[in-house]
Amino acid sequence: VTQSVHVADLVRQAREGRARAVARLVSLVEDASPVLREVSAELAPLTGRAHVIGITGPPGVGKSTTTSAVIAALRRRGSRVGVLAVDPSSPFTGGALLGDRIRMQDHALDAGVFIRSMATRGRLGGVAWATPQAVRVLDGVGFDVVLVETVGVGQSEVEIAGLADVTVVLLAPGMGDGVQAAKAGILEIGDLFVVNKADREGAQATVRDLRHMISLGFPREARTPEEPARWRPPVLTTVALTGEGVDELLDTLDRHEQWAEGSGELRRRRLRRAEREIEAIAMTALRERMGDLTDGPRLGELAAAVVDRRLDPYGAADKMLDALTSQSTPSA
Ligand SMILES: Nc1nc2c(ncn2[C@@H]2O[C@H](COP(=O)(O)OP(=O)(O)O)[C@@H](O)[C@H]2O)c(=O)[nH]1
Ligand SMILES: [Mg+2]
């Protein structure tokens, strides 16, 4: 009972814009705290208002610098911004995250901005479990925009990027031509592509290359008049260091939001996000219970039954699963 009072207080303080309360709530998610159930119940009715923007791309292309420039532009437009910098590749808060913090420290004193780095802590579920819940927290406490920066190099990163309402894929000249992007699987997840470091040589070639790769997914003969307009990912250029191109990026994000709302795509994505979130919570709970069963005396008993030929291993596994089911259905 005392804990539920705490949670309600914490949520209220976070909604008043107190950074420490927001940080506490995100920590509860990172620690997979038992009070998350309460936090979730408190926040659920308040969610669904934030625009969730994923920013992904290979290391070093300028994601954090771009994120910082996007924060500045959003603040000029009056939005409150929550940022999660997710790095699944580093088990501890390492150099990459430190760099992120340095690049975003311009906003450290701004009460309208909350920035948090999240790393894998080797816990069940990892960032794939924690990120959607942290997004939900920032949404629920009232941020207008939630930016999620992830390193786009592997499968889990692609999954995290898939959590967003819109995904921006960032590349830089030379290191991210279209073919490479296709190989890394990030061509499919991008709603819009940004060639950052446009102050460097080769940016226009990368833009052309990307546009060509994207056009392959839009064959002319497949277009029919009845087909609802598909979103064709635009390719923009930015110089994140100076903020050049960032206003165009925000305008394009606005355009995508309007399209996504009108076409039903936004709802489809949010449904998918909720499905994954539920699945991750359920699977984690299930694995914990399995752990209890396999560690406990029950497995020993079943093993003895198999060795003594009173039971075959399939029958024993059924009994283990029966025990799980009876645990998870309190009333039926
Ligand atoms: N020349 C140039 N350098 C940039 C630009 N944006 C970022 N950088 C630099 O690229 C490096 C990596 O940036 P960072 O934002 O940490 O990349 P991340 O790993 O994708 O988050 C840093 O040294 C930045 O200063 C840009 O537009 N032009
Ligand atoms: Mg970064």
Side-chain angles (χ1 to χ4, degrees):
V1 181
T2 33
Q3 226 151 31
S4 64
V5 173
H6 283 322
V7 166
D9 277 351
L10 212 51
V11 168
R12 187 180 42 74
Q13 288 170 8
R15 285 184 61 77
E16 284 167 2
R18 293 209 224 161
R20 283 190 54 189
V22 180
R24 279 274 321 272
L25 287 173
V26 176
S27 295
L28 293 176
V29 171
E30 280 193 312
D31 298 340
S33 160
V35 301
L36 276 183
R37 180 177 290 269
E38 275 176 66
V39 173
S40 178
E42 283 276 333
L43 287 176
L46 309 168
T47 56
R49 300 204 182 97
H51 191 213
V52 183
I53 302 173
I55 298 183
T56 192
V61 292
K63 293 180 298 299
S64 298
T65 313
T66 301
T67 299
S68 185
V70 167
I71 295 169
L74 285 167
R75 293 299 290 146
R76 284 195 295 273
R77 295 182 180 199
S79 298
R80 294 184 60 215
V81 190
V83 181
L84 297 171
V86 183
D87 190 351
S89 58
S90 74
F92 305 104
T93 304
L97 294 179
L98 189 65
D100 288 345
R101 229 171 286 140
I102 289 163
R103 274 180 269 296
M104 295 185 204
Q105 76 182 0
D106 292 353
H107 310 285
L109 297 175
D110 183 346
V113 178
F114 175 85
I115 297 171
R116 179 64 164 257
S117 296
M118 293 177 73
T120 323
R121 286 197 190 168
R123 168 190 13 78
L124 277 176
V127 285
W129 184 89
T131 307
Q133 298 197 60
V135 167
R136 184 179 286 279
V137 163
L138 296 183
D139 178 6
V141 303
F143 288 101
D144 303 301
V145 178
V146 177
L147 296 172
V148 184
E149 177 193 333
T150 54
V151 182
V153 282
Q155 201 50 47
S156 65
E157 294 77 1
V158 169
E159 264 174 40
I160 292 166
L163 294 169
D165 294 336
V166 60
T167 299
V168 179
V169 170
L170 208 70
L171 297 164
M175 57 189 304
D177 64 325
V179 178
Q180 229 129 29
K183 273 200 208 129
I186 52 182
L187 211 55
E188 295 100 84
I189 62 165
D191 296 302
L192 54 115
F193 293 83
V194 173
V195 178
N196 185 42
K197 306 195 185 183
D199 53 324
R200 293 217 179 142
E201 216 177 305
Q204 280 315 313
T206 303
V207 168
R208 271 198 304 278
D209 200 10
L210 276 171
R211 286 197 178 132
H212 173 68
M213 296 299 294
I214 291 164
S215 73
L216 300 178
F218 287 77
R220 197 164 292 171
E221 60 273 19
R223 238 176 282 150
T224 66
E226 304 88 59
E227 189 189 7
R230 274 174 75 194
W231 174 263
R232 189 178 179 127
V235 182
L236 313 176
T237 55
T238 53
V239 182
L241 278 178
T242 63
E244 201 182 309
V246 171
D247 275 318
E248 290 79 354
L249 171 57
L250 287 196
D251 291 343
T252 310
L253 285 166
D254 284 344
R255 217 156 42 75
H256 183 274
E257 190 179 16
Q258 275 168 22
W259 169 82
E261 261 170 28
S263 65
E265 179 64 16
L266 185 65
R267 179 159 177 87
R268 275 193 294 280
R269 288 188 191 194
R270 289 185 172 183
L271 286 171
R272 223 161 40 223
R273 196 195 307 165
E275 280 173 5
R276 285 194 204 162
E277 197 180 346
I278 297 164
E279 201 186 348
I281 291 170
M283 286 302 288
T284 304
L286 207 57
R287 254 185 254 121
E288 260 161 22
R289 280 184 197 162
M290 284 296 282
D292 288 350
L293 285 175
T294 52
D295 294 343
R298 183 100 186 109
L299 183 64
E301 284 165 30
L302 290 168
V306 169
V307 170
D308 297 339
R309 294 184 297 277
R310 281 179 281 120
L311 207 56
D312 77 292
Y314 278 83
D318 282 345
K319 281 197 187 300
M320 186 177 252
L321 291 173
D322 285 349
L324 274 179
T325 326
S326 59
Q327 270 182 32
S328 58
T329 40
S331 62

